[in-house]
Amino acid sequence: FCNSFNNKKHLVFFEAKTTDGNAKFITYKNIFNNPSLDLDITDTVKIGENERQNEIQYGDVLFTGSSETPDECGMSSVVTTRPNERYFLNSFCFGFRLFDKSMFLPDFLKHLLRSHEIRKQIFNTASGVTRFNVSKKRFANVSIPVPPLPVQEEIVRILDNFTTLQAELDCRKRQYEYYRDKLLNVDCRMNNVEWKKLGEIASVIRGGNFQKKDFIENGCPCIHYGQIYTHYNTYTESTFTYVSKEVFEKSKKAQPNDIVMAVTSENVEDVCSCVAWVGKTPIAVSGHTAIIHHNQNAKFLAYYFQTEDFFNQKKKLAHGTKVIEVTPDKLLDIKIPLPPLAVQERIVNVLDNFEQLCNDLGIGLPAEIEARKLQYEYYRNKLLSFTPPHEITDNQYITLGIAVNDYIKIMQYVFGYVYVPMSEIAEICPGKDYRHLSNGKVPVYGSGGVMTYVNDYTYDKPTVLLPRKGSISNIFYVDVPFWNVDTIYYTKIDNSKVITKFLYYLVVNEHIEKYNTSNAARPALTREVLNKIVFPLPPLSEQKRIVAILDKFDALVNDISIGLPAEIEARRKQYEYYRNKLLTFKEKTA
């Protein structure tokens, strides 16, 4: 139900902050990183008057076309705000435009197309060896659900709530960047600070000789240039990936305290992104990198390479159109302020604290955002699977700090019901012997029903009795105080989730005798088995409505005072009357 498009013609790219371009340029990284397209950009392209290029529109869905791994192909970004100027797509990406834009909310699509179920389908559209490309023909066959717009709106409301903390983190990062540039603009603060060319304090070599396909689970540590953009911050003492010893020996290496810099990118902003290697052993470094070996504080240099001053120098060295590169040898002419090592250390200590506050996933706001991100992904995949049953049968929600009641209510609101195990709505409790009690009016239940009456009770709230041994098809709803023996369980029911009578009807309908765990002549049910039985659970209001209907039918069928039983009882009395009349004969008198 949509057209595909991409800009096959060559777009002349202009670096940020120039005035030569006449239209904004949507980069590969913009699409890859943002489920909702970022239109606050400075990259521009030159579009001729007679050129036929596809201009981005509100509601368009954009995708990356290729990557070095299939799981990173086809990353989506949706145009969720109306452009107020011209934007064009780069040639490494493609897009789809809906025939009927009223079918979907753009904000719904930004969540849907990143969900696990859709990503699985997109993964299967990619093929390749060293680089994977999306087949647009296969991509056009990806199936997506089309829920009603009110359902889309509610899913968007729920999922968008998980992103509110990001604005505060962005503000904190801007503060960090301000202090970083102030601290590293040392010539304004210290007249005696010496500026030197990088070539005076460092040597620069190219990395190379391994690719992503060489990664193994355990081995020698390595950094791939693409990870510098996606996995690393300013410095690291460990790597995410490894290569074999054979590949390691053939690769270029960074020594402890070296800087690893990515010298190939899609845009000027990201080229020369770097990470300081502060680990204790050498690491293998992939191609498209520069390895900077120096005699300064590695973190200080890595922080400096993030500043606006460095940006203004590197953009003069950047070249290329579709791919932006900086030749490693050219970096030797970069000028760097070099305060004494003790001052470098103090500056690094200050910036490390800011870096930690902004990026450390173990503390503060970043930790909370990471937790929210994991919760968001959990809800997104649950809400957008549209493949009933919507079960809550795993413990992942506990790990993610998600309140089960919140999850249940959300699923009920969106889908009308959710499947939950018995263990989430009721505690199954054993019975015990009653023979030490005196006679009374409290019924004693076994799996066969009421056995006798005593003067004490086990439980005095409405419950559902579940058989343990013997007559395991007998289910009882009890709303008076009772005692139960060890052949039948009682349940402590969480009425914030389920109405007791509704659970009774669910259990009766489930025919739990099929879960018999005994091979002996006497059937049996264990708590472990009963706790795993999964039931559909609508909202409480719907449960109440269903219970009212079923109670009415039950009364019509079983209540002796109304309905069919009353009619049967009346007919029985008529029958007895006529039977007695017909079969009562007066004795003849002689």
Side-chain angles (χ1 to χ4, degrees):
F1 42 77
C2 53
N3 273 326
S4 66
F5 63 88
N6 67 345
N7 283 325
K8 296 180 180 179
K9 289 188 177 183
H10 180 62
L11 293 177
V12 180
F13 174 74
F14 289 84
E15 61 189 38
K17 302 184 182 180
T18 67
T19 58
D20 297 323
N22 61 358
K24 293 292 181 68
F25 175 73
I26 303 301
T27 65
Y28 178 103
K29 189 175 180 181
N30 190 342
I31 296 172
F32 187 92
N33 289 338
N34 299 302
S36 181
L37 193 68
D38 181 10
L39 297 182
D40 185 17
I41 56 176
T42 56
D43 302 302
T44 59
V45 288
K46 185 80 169 183
I47 304 292
E49 289 185 9
N50 297 321
E51 282 191 66
R52 296 183 61 188
Q53 299 287 357
N54 287 302
E55 190 171 340
I56 301 304
Q57 297 179 9
Y58 174 71
D60 284 351
V61 184
L62 312 179
F63 295 92
T64 59
S66 63
S67 182
E68 292 184 341
T69 59
D71 58 308
E72 292 183 349
C73 285
M75 297 303 291
S76 61
S77 186
V78 182
V79 184
T80 58
T81 56
R82 297 188 183 277
N84 55 13
E85 54 186 309
R86 304 174 78 197
Y87 292 87
F88 294 88
L89 188 62
N90 77 85
S91 58
F92 290 104
C93 303
F94 63 96
F96 282 88
R97 182 166 295 155
L98 298 172
F99 293 142
D100 182 2
K101 291 187 178 182
S102 66
M103 291 179 64
F104 291 101
L105 300 175
D107 283 303
F108 172 76
L109 290 176
K110 77 182 180 190
H111 298 298
L112 175 68
L113 297 172
R114 295 270 179 141
S115 67
H116 179 67
E117 292 297 323
I118 305 302
R119 289 296 308 158
K120 278 198 305 185
Q121 295 185 64
I122 293 174
F123 175 90
N124 293 326
T125 69
S127 58
V129 182
T130 59
R131 189 162 187 86
F132 292 82
N133 294 281
V134 169
S135 163
K136 295 185 185 67
K137 183 177 181 181
R138 290 200 296 269
F139 200 93
N141 292 322
V142 170
S143 297
I144 61 175
V146 188
L149 289 178
V151 173
Q152 294 184 35
E153 288 175 356
E154 182 59 17
I155 290 174
V156 168
R157 185 191 66 79
I158 292 166
L159 296 181
D160 278 356
N161 281 338
F162 287 96
T163 64
T164 54
L165 284 176
Q166 190 63 45
E168 184 177 342
L169 182 62
D170 290 342
C171 179
R172 187 177 291 181
K173 285 184 174 179
R174 287 193 294 272
Q175 293 174 352
Y176 157 71
E177 290 167 0
Y178 173 82
Y179 279 107
R180 181 196 63 205
D181 285 358
K182 282 289 186 183
L183 285 169
L184 295 172
N185 190 15
V186 290
D187 63 322
C188 294
R189 301 183 302 105
M190 301 173 60
N191 294 328
N192 61 342
V193 169
E194 187 177 10
W195 285 72
K196 289 186 177 182
K197 289 185 177 182
L198 185 61
E200 297 179 60
I201 61 164
S203 61
V204 179
I205 63 171
R206 291 178 180 269
N209 293 339
F210 76 84
Q211 298 175 332
K212 282 187 177 180
K213 65 182 179 64
D214 295 315
F215 291 164
I216 60 176
E217 187 170 346
N218 293 295
C220 301
C222 66
I223 288 180
H224 187 273
Y225 85 97
Q227 296 169 337
I228 297 173
Y229 300 119
T230 57
H231 288 75
Y232 293 105
N233 294 317
T234 304
Y235 56 88
T236 185
E237 59 183 17
S238 62
T239 66
F240 293 93
T241 48
Y242 304 89
V243 292
S244 67
K245 187 175 181 180
E246 181 182 4
V247 172
F248 183 82
E249 293 299 331
K250 294 178 181 178
S251 299
K252 298 293 178 65
K253 299 174 185 65
Q255 302 298 320
N257 209 49
D258 283 355
I259 305 289
V260 181
M261 181 176 285
V263 293
T264 300
S265 179
E266 192 194 35
N267 57 69
V268 174
E269 278 86 353
D270 292 327
V271 74
C272 293
S273 294
C274 68
V275 58
W277 170 242
V278 295
K280 296 180 179 180
T281 60
I283 56 171
V285 178
S286 76
H288 301 293
T289 60
I291 302 172
I292 303 173
H293 185 69
H294 57 89
N295 59 6
Q296 302 295 308
N297 186 305
K299 291 183 181 179
F300 175 83
L301 292 181
Y303 280 125
Y304 176 74
F305 291 141
Q306 298 172 6
T307 63
E308 186 174 0
D309 183 76
F310 175 69
F311 175 85
N312 291 331
Q313 293 188 70
K314 77 172 182 181
K315 72 179 183 180
K316 297 174 183 177
L317 306 178
H319 57 88
T321 52
K322 296 175 72 174
V323 175
I324 307 302
E325 294 183 292
V326 170
T327 304
D329 291 346
K330 298 292 185 182
L331 293 169
L332 295 172
D333 293 326
I334 293 288
K335 288 186 176 181
I336 298 173
L338 290 175
L341 288 174
V343 176
Q344 292 184 30
E345 182 69 22
R346 289 198 296 271
I347 291 173
V348 164
N349 288 339
V350 173
L351 293 177
D352 277 356
N353 287 330
F354 274 103
E355 169 102 347
Q356 191 174 41
L357 287 171
C358 289
N359 296 310
D360 192 331
L361 296 181
I363 64 170
L365 188 60
E368 187 173 350
I369 288 175
E370 180 65 11
R372 289 288 186 92
K373 177 175 176 288
L374 293 174
Q375 291 177 358
Y376 160 76
E377 291 172 353
Y378 180 82
Y379 273 119
R380 181 193 64 197
N381 293 332
K382 287 287 187 180
L383 285 169
L384 298 176
S385 64
F386 293 101
T387 53
H390 311 287
E391 293 189 18
I392 183 162
T393 56
D394 57 53
N395 290 323
Q396 187 180 1
Y397 66 90
I398 298 174
T399 306
L400 297 176
I402 294 171
V404 65
N405 278 11
D406 292 343
Y407 175 80
I408 288 174
K409 288 177 182 177
I410 286 172
M411 290 298 171
Q412 288 173 337
Y413 182 90
V414 175
F415 299 112
Y417 68 99
V418 61
Y419 275 86
V420 298
M422 175 75 82
S423 60
E424 287 294 348
I425 54 179
E427 179 186 353
I428 299 175
C429 304
K432 50 189 176 181
D433 191 18
Y434 69 93
R435 285 174 291 183
H436 63 288
L437 301 174
S438 303
N439 291 334
K441 296 182 179 181
V442 176
V444 177
Y445 280 89
S447 61
V450 176
M451 302 166 58
T452 185
Y453 294 86
V454 294
N455 65 339
D456 198 2
Y457 57 85
T458 302
Y459 195 60
D460 63 348
K461 295 179 176 61
T463 189
V464 178
L465 301 182
L466 305 173
R468 187 177 79 86
K469 285 184 179 180
S471 304
I472 62 172
S473 61
N474 287 345
I475 318 297
F476 302 98
Y477 169 75
V478 181
D479 58 1
V480 297
F482 65 90
W483 190 279
N484 63 304
V485 300
D486 68 350
T487 61
I488 197 164
Y489 302 110
Y490 74 94
T491 52
K492 294 180 179 179
I493 296 168
D494 185 349
N495 291 131
S496 70
K497 300 171 187 172
V498 63
I499 295 171
T500 304
K501 194 66 171 292
F502 183 77
L503 178 60
Y504 165 75
Y505 285 127
L506 285 176
V507 176
V508 169
N509 190 58
E510 184 64 21
H511 300 287
I512 61 174
E513 61 270 17
K514 65 187 177 185
Y515 299 105
N516 177 27
T517 59
S518 174
N519 293 322
R522 194 180 190 195
L525 291 168
T526 66
R527 278 190 280 186
E528 182 181 7
V529 167
L530 291 170
N531 275 327
K532 292 179 180 179
I533 299 175
V534 176
F535 298 102
L537 202 66
L540 291 173
S541 58
E542 180 65 6
Q543 293 179 36
K544 185 176 181 180
R545 187 184 71 85
I546 292 172
V547 166
I549 294 171
L550 294 178
D551 278 352
K552 187 174 182 180
F553 275 106
D554 182 70
L556 286 171
V557 173
N558 297 310
D559 193 327
I560 199 67
S561 64
I562 63 172
L564 189 58
E567 185 175 345
I568 291 174
E569 179 66 12
R571 292 292 179 91
R572 184 181 65 80
K573 289 180 178 178
Q574 289 177 349
Y575 158 73
E576 290 173 352
Y577 173 82
Y578 282 107
R579 181 195 63 196
N580 292 333
K581 282 289 187 184
L582 289 170
L583 297 176
T584 300
F585 300 93
K586 290 184 179 181
E587 256 185 74
K588 286 186 178 180
T589 55

